[in-house]
Amino acid sequence: MNSTTIMMMITIMLTNIIMMLNIILSKKTITDREKSSPFECGFDPKSSSRMPFSLKFFLIAAIFLIFDIEIALLLPMMPTMMMTKMYYWMETTTIFILILIMGLYHEWNQGALNWAK
């Protein structure tokens, strides 16, 4: 056998042995009260630790990510303008921006951008 193969096998075996020893010797308690309770400056929480999540906030964050990615797709359009014919570049850019504007209008029309109702 090759010496590299032997060293690789020894390394894998040694790593597996160390991981198994760690699992066997670690002092884990699954039902530890302090670890399963939420940390609030060292005090027990006065109210429920599971606050309801605002779906509006999630929707605004998702819309932000979508439009952020679309802006990242718009940035490479400027350097490609010199490499292609102007008519094709203008047509592609116009269609892409129109799709973005239609998506923004749809979100606005559905009321997703109205934070306070």
Side-chain angles (χ1 to χ4, degrees):
M1 276 192 161
N2 194 345
S3 66
T4 308
T5 308
I6 293 173
M7 287 301 293
M8 186 176 68
M9 288 174 54
I10 290 173
T11 305
I12 291 172
M13 286 175 46
L14 187 62
T15 306
N16 285 332
I17 289 171
I18 290 173
M19 287 192 316
M20 292 301 277
L21 281 174
N22 184 27
I23 291 171
I24 293 170
L25 298 177
S26 66
K27 295 181 179 180
K28 283 187 179 179
T29 56
I30 295 173
T31 58
D32 190 9
R33 180 183 172 277
E34 293 299 322
K35 286 184 181 178
S36 64
S37 68
F39 181 73
E40 192 172 314
C41 300
F43 301 106
D44 287 331
K46 294 182 179 180
S47 63
S48 173
S49 62
R50 300 287 182 200
M51 300 298 281
F53 186 72
S54 172
L55 193 58
K56 274 292 202 201
F57 176 76
F58 177 75
L59 188 61
I60 294 291
I63 290 171
F64 171 76
L65 284 175
I66 289 169
F67 282 103
D68 194 39
I69 290 170
E70 289 169 350
I71 287 174
L73 291 174
L74 280 172
L75 287 176
M77 284 188 174
M78 290 305 143
T80 60
M81 181 173 59
M82 301 299 176
M83 295 180 235
T84 60
K85 292 186 179 180
M86 192 55 136
Y87 174 76
Y88 295 128
W89 181 86
M90 194 67 140
E91 186 178 271
T92 305
T93 306
T94 304
I95 290 171
F96 187 73
I97 291 176
L98 281 175
I99 291 171
L100 289 179
I101 291 172
M102 287 179 356
L104 180 64
Y105 177 74
H106 177 72
E107 293 296 331
W108 191 1
N109 197 20
Q110 293 294 318
L113 301 177
N114 294 335
W115 186 261
K117 265 190 178 179

